[in-house]
Amino acid sequence: MRKVRPQDIRDEFVNFVDERLNHYDRVEIAVKGTHHEKRDMSILSETTLHSTYVAFECFISDLILAYINRDFSVYQSFVSNRINQSVESKFGNWAAGRITFARTKHIKAPELEAILDPESYNLTFKDVATLKQRLNDWVAAPHKDAIVNLNDPDTKLIDTVHSIRNFIAHQSKNAKKIMNTNLSNVVTGAACPNAGLSRGVHDIHDVGAFLKSMANGERRVKTFANRLSSIAQGL
């Protein structure tokens, strides 16, 4: 049976980021010197960050499906254990001891997607900690290892971009609070790959202006996008 190739999924996301950043550069050149340049660049920075993180969520969802497609054993054990626990909690050990879970060795990718994502919403996670836990539950080693072992700077980077995306999408007070908390913690120390991406002492209210601003010779939105691309290549 043909398996989904994780490398193809990585390449697709990396190419998406490159395409979006090339588009960013073209529009920046086009609006330079115009009356609305500053506002246009703020809006462009927001939309670029938003679309890049949405694509990253799709990438993670597709990658998990690809890894489980390559080794279906751990997910089946997870489901079997949950079924036994549910039956035992409702009907006791006697009933749980009579439950049999029929395992399958191979499963086609569309069938697997219907099992993991029956409502076709994509697999999403509120933060990297939840993602890591789900990988431990569902995915066999060594496929899960890179995600489960994401270091602190990469974890904070993903969670921070997620919170920025949520604020752009929802504009709620709570989303702004979470974003500003993450932006204050995204840099974890000297030589951190997230250098320049944190906010100052004041909260960020205009996220577009923050994303278009320069840090270490590059607009922050491009640094965020390139960091996501780099992280994805290692997963």
Side-chain angles (χ1 to χ4, degrees):
M1 183 188 69
R2 182 176 178 272
K3 302 287 186 179
V4 181
R5 293 186 69 247
Q7 188 58 50
D8 291 342
I9 296 168
R10 295 186 198 100
D11 291 344
E12 183 178 0
F13 176 69
V14 170
N15 290 338
F16 178 93
V17 174
D18 289 344
E19 178 187 57
R20 282 297 187 271
L21 293 183
N22 287 335
H23 173 261
Y24 189 95
D25 290 342
R26 291 194 301 272
V27 175
E28 182 175 10
I29 291 171
V31 303
K32 190 173 182 62
T34 64
H35 180 68
H36 298 291
E37 176 185 355
K38 291 183 179 180
R39 187 59 188 150
D40 285 346
M41 290 306 300
S42 292
I43 294 171
L44 177 64
S45 297
E46 288 188 13
T47 57
T48 299
L49 188 286
H50 186 280
S51 64
T52 298
Y53 188 77
V54 169
F56 183 77
E57 285 192 322
C58 294
F59 157 74
I60 291 294
S61 181
D62 290 344
L63 191 65
I64 292 172
L65 288 167
Y67 282 151
I68 297 176
N69 181 236
R70 300 181 86 80
D71 188 335
F72 196 33
S73 61
V74 171
Y75 182 79
Q76 291 185 88
S77 294
F78 170 78
V79 173
S80 177
N81 290 336
R82 290 294 298 272
I83 290 172
N84 286 333
Q85 290 168 8
S86 179
V87 172
E88 183 177 349
S89 68
K90 294 179 181 179
F91 303 104
N93 292 332
W94 181 86
R98 283 156 178 78
I99 296 296
T100 300
F101 184 85
R103 295 172 183 263
T104 181
K105 188 173 182 180
H106 299 297
I107 187 169
K108 295 180 180 179
E111 295 173 350
L112 178 61
E113 187 171 5
I115 292 169
L116 295 176
D117 185 22
E119 296 182 343
S120 300
Y121 282 132
N122 285 337
L123 303 173
T124 57
F125 307 91
K126 67 176 183 178
D127 53 30
V128 175
T130 305
L131 171 63
K132 290 179 178 181
Q133 181 58 57
R134 191 57 68 221
L135 266 288
N136 274 322
D137 291 339
W138 289 0
V139 180
H143 306 303
K144 69 178 180 180
D145 293 350
I147 295 177
V148 170
N149 296 319
L150 275 167
N151 62 29
D152 193 44
D154 289 352
T155 295
K156 282 185 165 57
L157 187 285
I158 295 169
D159 284 343
T160 299
V161 182
H162 187 181
S163 65
I164 297 172
R165 177 266 173 197
N166 284 349
F167 177 62
I168 293 171
H170 305 298
Q171 298 290 312
S172 68
K173 291 181 179 179
N174 189 55
K176 181 189 286 189
K177 179 180 178 181
I178 294 171
M179 177 189 71
N180 276 292
T181 297
N182 286 338
L183 282 171
S184 68
N185 297 321
V186 68
V187 177
T188 58
C192 177
N194 302 332
L197 296 179
S198 62
R199 66 177 176 88
V201 296
H202 300 294
D203 282 352
I204 300 301
H205 302 287
D206 185 344
V207 69
F210 173 76
L211 291 171
K212 77 177 179 184
S213 61
M214 303 291 288
N216 298 323
E218 183 176 63
R219 294 192 186 271
R220 284 188 172 93
V221 63
K222 299 180 74 172
T223 305
F224 276 121
N226 282 320
R227 285 282 288 123
L228 284 179
S229 180
S230 177
I231 292 168
Q233 292 177 64
L235 303 182

